[in-house]
Each structure stands twice: as C-alpha cells, then as structure tokens.
Amino acid sequence: MDPVIIVGAGPVGLTLALALARQEVPSVVLDEGPGKDEPRLARTVVLREDTAALMERLTGVPLDEVGMRWAGWRSMRRKQVMREVTFGDAGKEGPDGAEAAEAAPPVEFAPLHIAQHVLTNALRAALAHERLVKVAVDSRLDTIEQEPSGVSAHTRGPKGTWWRGSYLVGCDGPRSTVRKLQDIRFPGRTAVERYAVAALRAELPWPGRALLHRTPPWRTSGPSGGEITGRPLPDGVWRLDWLLPPGRDLVTPELLVARIRETLAGWTDGSTPSYELLDTGVHTVHHRLARRWRVGRVFIAGDAAHLLGSLGTHGLDEGLRDADNLAWKLALAWHHGPHEALLDSYQTERRAVVAARLRNADQVLPLLRGSGSLRSYVPGTARGHDALLSDGHLGRGPLGAPGTYADSPLTPRYLEDQAPVHTAPGAPVTDVQVTAEDGSFVRLRDRLGRGTLLVVLIAPGTGVWERKHWVTAGIMPRLAAAVTALPHPAELLVAESYPGAAAHTVLLVRPDGHLVTALNGVRPADLYAAAEATLGGPAKAEAEAGAGAGSR
C-alpha cells in the first residue's frame, strides 16, 4: 500500500510521521525548505505534561535536558502577588510587604518551555533513523488529485515530481496550500492580540519561575503596558512578552530596548541589571478555525486547521494533539482497510475541542482586555481575572485544560455496568504505574502510541507479588480471554490503583491515551462493544459505508 503523504516539516508534520512509523505505516514528508531550521530563541512553545511525554516517547530525548520545566508560577498585579504556585506543592507565600497570594490548588506537573527549533531538531534527528519515513526537501506542493484508491500530489522545485499516497495530511501552516487546494474555508479573526517579544540572558529575582505581571507600576496608563509575561529557558535565558496596544504601530528596536530596560529595572527595584539580548520579534495572535478538516483522503492538522494563542492558550500543543489523534486512526485504516467513521471522528473530536477553546478565549477577552468601565459591569474580581489568565498559561481551567472527547462518535453507548473513576470518558488518562505482560513495571503513557488498545485492570496488591503468582488467579484468566477476543489488538496491563477506581475496575484506553470507559469487573460483552465503538463501529458496516468514500 502507498505511504501517507505529509505536507509540511514543522513539529506537527514531523510528529505525525514519527507516530505513523511507530505503527509500521510509511510516510513521505514534503518539506518546501532546506531541511533545517534557523535557531530562534524568541520563538518558543509551551507543552502540557502529557504532550511533552508524547514528544519524549517519539524522539527518545529527555526534554528536561533541552527545555525548562518551571519551578513555579507567579501572577502579579501592580506590586501585589495575586497567585503563586510551586509545582508539586501548594506553597503560596508572597514577597515581603505584599499581600498574601491567593490560595491556588497545587499543580503536580510543570509545563515544559522549549525553543521551537530545539524541538524540531529533536524530531528531525529521530526521523533520520526511521526506515519508514522519507523527507523530500525543496519540495513545494502545487497539485492534489484524489481517486477512490489513493491520492497523488505534485511538487515543484529542482526536481518537480508526482508522489503517490494512500492519504495526504496538510501540516503546512497558516497559509496552507493543502487547505486552499481543497477549497476549505478558514474564517476567524485577524490580529486578536500582538506581543513584542525578546529573548535575553539575565538574572531575575525568581530563577526558574514563570511570571505574569499585569498593570506594572511603572506603566499604569492604557493597555500598552498592561501585561508582561516572563518565561524561563535553560542557561539563564528568558523569553519576555509585552502585550501591545491594538493597531499596527511599528515596534522599533529603540522601543523594544526601552521596554526591556524599564521592565528589568522595575523587577529588580532599581537600575537596569546587565543583560544580553539574544533575539527579538513581534508575535501576532490570530483566531481561525477551518470549516472542514477532512476531504476524502485529504486531512489538515495544526496551524493549517486552526489558529489560537491568546490568553496563554497553547497553539502548537493543540497541533501535536491533532497528530496524535489522527495517527492511530490512519494507521488502522492503512493496515486494515476503510474505516470511514473512525477517520471522520478526527474532525469531529479535534475540531470540537479547538472550537470550545476559541469560544472560551473570545468570551473572556472583552472581560480581561476591556476598559475599566466595561469591567465594572461584568461580574468577577481582579483575582478571578488573574486566575483565568494563569489557567490559560498553566494548561488548566476553561482556557488551558486538555480537551475531552465526551461527545465523540466513538463513545460506546448503552453499556450496562460502567464504573465511576476520576477520569471522565473521553478525557486523557492519568499516568499511573502499571505492570506489563512481561512482568515489568512501566508508566501507562509509555504503552501509548503503538496502535493497540489498552485494557487496565485495577488490582491492589499485585505490585508486591511476582506476576506468576496472580496472572492465573482470580479474574485474570477470564479478563485475558476477553482481551484476546477483542476486535482489535489490545494489551492487558495491571495497576495497583487509579484515581477514583475501586478494586477490579477495568479501564479501556485508546491508543492516544483517552479513556473509552471504565467497567465494574470483567464484562466481556461490554468490553467488546466498547472496543468495537472505539474503532468506529462493526467492521462489516464500515466496509459497506466506505465502499465509495475515497472519492469524496
């Protein structure tokens, strides 16, 4: 069968290629550039904990060594600490002379902050060892042709050629050629927010801790000085972002240097400390959402499908989730034939999550960025507003938490005996320690991305006994037989505990780490029905439905 054609060699396209290769699916990555990225420390990304784990699984690189996990987070308003979080702890003491910071729930895992070119280089290095991935540099797409049995793409460049593929995925950014060739509308808002950005090396009073400073006392008039974000990187480097006033005023070098000097002086209570300016830029945030994410055998992902990023929301993080969601579905269709309902679910699930995040941001923007008179008519306190912003940056709450697929068409219906756990169906599972089939102790997330379903039995006490003592006892033989009979390959794992789960609860987990369902005990019929729903429905119905779908 022909490889999957991936258009675009940014982080999303490279992640998709690696994820497909891990599931024995070949791909061709069409890179219109020379195959390397210019180092830019002012262009960084923030990844939530589970997305960072995905990157580590695919690249084999401990990202803590090339990125920075923040020691904590501080939110300030004028001179007052509004909110302070130490990751893994609930400590929240403000500095001397300031009001005590608002109590905030503890955050166990810190976001990962990493320069985008560092992440891309790690992905490229991993791809260099993948026999199933071909990267074609200096290859710019200009034509796509679909047929019932596949898709053809033509590239121009030094050696213009035709490429033949089973499917094609456009990961080619905001100006996506794939999206335009498929005549997919991309409505939304332009320049929702603009930021002046600087990467510099300096010593700040809170090493390793990210900062959101609203209405700093040295700039109290208007929105131009209304918000500054400081995020640490390795080697004493910081990325600073200043929210700019509406409009397209030119950000001159003189203006940026003045912002740097007054900000550093304000944060260190005196004269400007020494610093080394490494990189600068202007970051413009757009909010757009493609109408369709699939046209027959052609898909779009990442910035080609959506643009977001105001109020701390993580645009690239969502693009990587697109790749993770699509990879296992394409792999299943590539290996086992048409699964149209499963492939359609990519758009249904991912578009709904991103649309909800965009709606939340658009609803909150007037409240947080409006004039003082507007705020006086809108319920909420200054602390509440800062909490909303902090949640967006920290990857939690309505602005930042990972999306769930609660209304997915893959959600099983009418199961007789579902069990309550702290993870809602469709949400990412908690990363607990599990015992694998070979008796080794591993993390649950380490078993993701292989294209198999995961069945996890919660069995307290198994962690202190050798596997040979319990693998043939109690309900294990019956559960093992039920897993073997599932309509798709599945791996049986055992965990000592899981948040909110009683003993003998059985979890069914998708290959991308989202919970399908939790059942009370071993229920083969329910487990089979849930697995079948996760694949998009009965195989026979899929084959009939997909008979002519490839030419849509």
Side-chain angles (χ1 to χ4, degrees), residues 114 174 290 292 369 417 452:
I114 186 171
R292 293 181 294 167
R369 304 296 191 230
D417 204 0
T452 58

Side-chain angles (χ1 to χ4, degrees), residues 244-263:
L244 295 171
R248 297 184 177 274
D249 295 341
L250 183 65
V251 180
T252 64
E254 294 78 14
L255 174 63
L256 189 53
V257 168
R259 288 285 176 91
I260 293 171
R261 292 181 63 84
E262 69 177 6
T263 299

Side-chain angles (χ1 to χ4, degrees), residues 264-280:
L264 295 182
W267 283 345
T268 54
D269 296 323
S271 60
T272 303
S274 61
Y275 68 92
E276 179 185 1
L277 183 58
L278 304 172
D279 192 18
T280 63

Side-chain angles (χ1 to χ4, degrees), residues 146-149 294 296-297 338 340 542-552:
Q146 289 201 60
E147 303 169 7
S149 59
R294 180 191 183 194
R297 290 180 175 267
E340 295 304 313
E542 283 295 332
E544 294 172 353
S551 59
R552 287 187 302 170

Side-chain angles (χ1 to χ4, degrees), residues 208-273:
R209 302 176 74 87
L211 170 75
L212 173 68
H213 198 166
R214 305 186 72 203
T215 319
W218 58 89
R219 297 188 65 87
T220 57
S221 60
S224 61
E227 185 175 303
I228 308 167
T229 308
R231 288 170 280 206
L233 286 163
D235 302 322
V237 175
W238 291 78
R239 170 175 166 166
L240 305 185
D241 293 60
W242 293 265
L243 178 65
L244 295 171
R248 297 184 177 274
D249 295 341
L250 183 65
V251 180
T252 64
E254 294 78 14
L255 174 63
L256 189 53
V257 168
R259 288 285 176 91
I260 293 171
R261 292 181 63 84
E262 69 177 6
T263 299
L264 295 182
W267 283 345
T268 54
D269 296 323
S271 60
T272 303

